[in-house]
Every structure is written in structure tokens, then in C-alpha cells.
């Protein structure tokens, strides 16, 4: 039995609930992602033994590392990090890389659309430029104006982009 035949339905359920809660409250709850993460480790172990556990841990670590860097820079919340790590535990590192590339593209399109509709496209592009190009001046520290803790910062829920990237990766895989 393939992990893909088992992983798609709980993943659809979790990213659907995460998208709903992120859109509603800008939060992805631990009660959702932590059991999902544990389930990914358990299912991989059950289906593939130690090799499955290794793949699951690699996927979990990859999701946590890549999104953790973005969270450390202030551009993403820890709920997004935990959701990507949990998805990685289910689908492993190879499919997670595809999912994250598609997630980044979906998130970029969503951010531009959100900024155009909201009338702050110039602010979005200036902030993105500062975030990407200003790292030499500030190092790995978060940009002070672009932190999620800044009450004036615009915050886009990212679970919808994660859901899109993950689900498309299932169709492409």
C-alpha cells in the first residue's frame, strides 16, 4: 500500500480545516496539526517500517526548517511552520519540495491579488524588496516593520496557499 493512497484524505481534511481557521482567526491550532504530525509518523512506520520513519522525519524536518527560517524573519507564523512540518511527516521530503514550490507560487499570486484588491500593492512590493534585499544590513534578524507582531503589519493567512500547494502535489505525484 502506498502512502499516497493513505495520505490524501487526512491531508485534505487537515488543510481544509487549517484554511478555515486561518481565514477566520489567523491561527492554525495545535490541536489540529500536532495529532496530524504524529499520525504521519505512525502511518509511515506502519506502512514502511524504519525506512518510512526516516522519510517521515526527513519530511518533517524539511518543512520545519524551510518555513522556520521564514518565521524567524517575521514573515510567517508558527502555525504555518507546524502545518508544513506535519504535511512533510505524511508525504516525505521529495513530495514536500514540490508542494512547497507550488505553495510559494500560490502564495505569491494570492499576495499580489490581495494587495491589488486592498489598494496597497506599492506597500507590498516595497516590503517584499526590503525583506529580500535588506538582509545584508540586518542579517538574519526580522525586519522590524514586517514582523507578525507589528499591529500595523498586513497579515495574509497562508494556510490556503499551503493547501493549494499540497493538494496539487498529490495530483502531480
Amino acid at each position: 500500500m502506498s502512502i499516497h493512497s493513505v495520505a490524501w484524505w487526512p491531508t485534505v481534511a487537515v488543510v481544509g480545516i487549517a484554511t478555515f481557521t486561518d481565514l477566520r482567526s489567523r491561527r492554525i491550532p495545535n490541536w489540529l496539526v500536532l495529532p496530524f504530525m504524529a499520525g504521519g509518523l505512525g502511518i509511515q512506520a506502519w506502512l514502511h517500517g524504519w525506512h518510512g520513519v526516516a522519510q517521515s522525519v526527513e519530511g518533517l524536518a524539511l518543512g520545519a526548517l524551510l518555513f522556520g527560517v521564514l518565521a524567524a524573519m517575521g514573515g510567517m507564523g508558527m502555525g504555518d511552520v507546524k502545518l508544513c512540518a506535519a504535511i512533510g511527516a505524511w508525504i516525505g521530503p521529495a513530495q514536500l519540495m514540490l508542494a512547497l514550490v507550488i505553495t510559494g507560487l500560490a502564495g505569491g499570486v494570492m499576495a499580489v491579488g490581495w494587495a491589488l484588491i486592498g489598494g496597497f500593492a506599492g506597500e507590498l512590493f516595497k516590503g517584499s524588496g526590503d525583506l529580500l534585499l535588506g538582509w545584508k544590513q540586518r542579517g538574519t534578524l526580522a525586519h522590524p516593520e514586517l514582523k507578525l507582531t507589528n499591529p500595523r503589519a498586513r497579515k495574509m493567512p497562508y494556510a490556503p496557499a499551503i493547501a493549494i500547494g499540497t493538494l496539487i502535489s498529490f495530483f502531480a505525484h
Side-chain angles (χ1 to χ4, degrees), residues 71-160:
M73 293 175 67
M76 185 161 293
M78 286 306 295
D80 298 316
V81 175
K82 288 180 271 189
L83 179 60
C84 283
I87 291 167
W90 276 88
I91 65 177
Q95 186 175 348
L96 182 64
M97 283 304 297
L98 174 61
L100 293 179
V101 167
I102 298 167
T103 294
L105 294 171
V109 169
M110 289 170 56
V112 170
W114 184 55
L116 290 172
I117 291 169
F120 55 90
E123 185 181 326
L124 170 77
F125 292 119
K126 180 189 178 307
S128 297
D130 288 347
L131 185 66
L132 294 172
L133 303 175
W135 64 271
K136 283 188 179 181
Q137 288 82 17
R138 69 174 186 282
T140 58
L141 300 174
H143 190 287
E145 293 178 24
L146 301 177
K147 284 185 174 184
L148 290 175
T149 55
N150 178 357
R152 296 182 311 133
R154 299 186 193 274
K155 299 166 184 81
M156 183 185 90
Y158 209 67

Side-chain angles (χ1 to χ4, degrees), residues 3-46:
I3 188 65
H4 300 290
S5 61
V6 174
W8 71 269
W9 65 268
T11 304
V12 169
V14 168
V15 298
I17 295 167
T19 296
F20 175 77
T21 61
D22 201 17
L23 288 170
R24 188 188 62 177
S25 65
R26 300 296 195 267
R27 303 196 58 77
I28 301 171
N30 285 339
W31 61 258
L32 177 67
V33 294
L34 296 179
F36 182 59
M37 188 182 297
L41 290 164
I43 290 292
Q44 286 281 15
W46 177 56

